[in-house]
Amino acid sequence: MEGGGQQPRPPDQPPREHLQLLLHRSREAKNCAYCPYSRFPVGAALLTAGGEIFSGCNVENACYNLGVCAERTAIQKAISEGHTSFRAMAIASDMGDFITPCGACRQVMREFGTDWDIYLTKADGTYIVKRLEELLPFSFGPEDLKKM
């Protein structure tokens, strides 16, 4: 689904005003990114089932593997405030193409279900919407541990 169209909103998508705020908060978070090595700022905004929004940015480290992505920062902030049920996430960067979460972020997102929306944006504000299950098909989650 391309952003900006007049298509009817599916029942589980956030209302337009929440969506616009979610997209805006992801762009704002991008401006706080600490990325002196990659110079690739990323922001994310996470909408909880209760309607709260938590944002995060990428934070790099001179020891590269100690950095953390924007998506995981937003999720960790929400978790630390007691939220574990999510409806949507918007991800923003300065790329000319749609930004997608890395594999590690997809797996962390998957921990909290597969039936929520991910808004992949371009620098010009356009977006496409994907269900998390589309971004991480045949995934492994908490329920799989119960099968043993």
Side-chain angles (χ1 to χ4, degrees):
M1 177 184 312
E2 280 290 326
Q6 294 299 319
Q7 300 175 354
R9 178 178 64 85
D12 57 342
Q13 261 189 338
R16 182 148 179 84
E17 59 275 4
H18 281 104
L19 175 56
Q20 291 306 314
L21 181 58
L22 189 68
L23 294 166
H24 176 73
R25 294 279 302 274
S26 71
R27 290 189 302 272
E28 278 185 339
K30 175 183 59 90
N31 295 330
C32 296
Y34 177 75
C35 51
Y37 309 108
S38 71
R39 291 180 173 59
F40 187 73
V42 179
L46 178 66
L47 177 64
T48 68
E52 291 188 56
I53 295 176
F54 290 87
S55 59
C57 62
N58 56 320
V59 180
E60 296 179 348
N61 189 283
C63 182
Y64 294 150
N65 63 340
L66 295 181
V68 66
C69 298
E71 298 91 333
R72 285 182 277 157
T73 300
I75 289 171
Q76 290 166 355
K77 285 172 69 175
I79 297 293
S80 71
E81 296 293 325
H83 300 273
T84 58
S85 183
F86 308 125
R87 292 178 58 196
M89 177 181 278
I91 307 166
S93 77
D94 294 330
M95 282 180 48
D97 202 357
F98 296 110
I99 182 150
T100 62
C102 73
C105 286
R106 292 175 196 210
Q107 185 61 48
V108 169
M109 296 159 94
R110 167 58 179 94
E111 182 73 10
F112 305 98
T114 60
D115 60 344
W116 44 297
D117 292 324
I118 311 301
Y119 291 82
L120 309 173
T121 70
K122 288 184 181 181
D124 66 5
T126 59
Y127 62 85
I128 57 173
V129 182
K130 297 289 183 184
R131 299 296 280 176
L132 183 55
E133 60 195 350
E134 292 179 85
L135 297 178
L136 192 63
F138 304 106
S139 64
F140 183 84
E143 67 279 1
D144 293 306
L145 294 174
K146 297 173 185 171
K147 295 177 183 176
M148 301 173 87

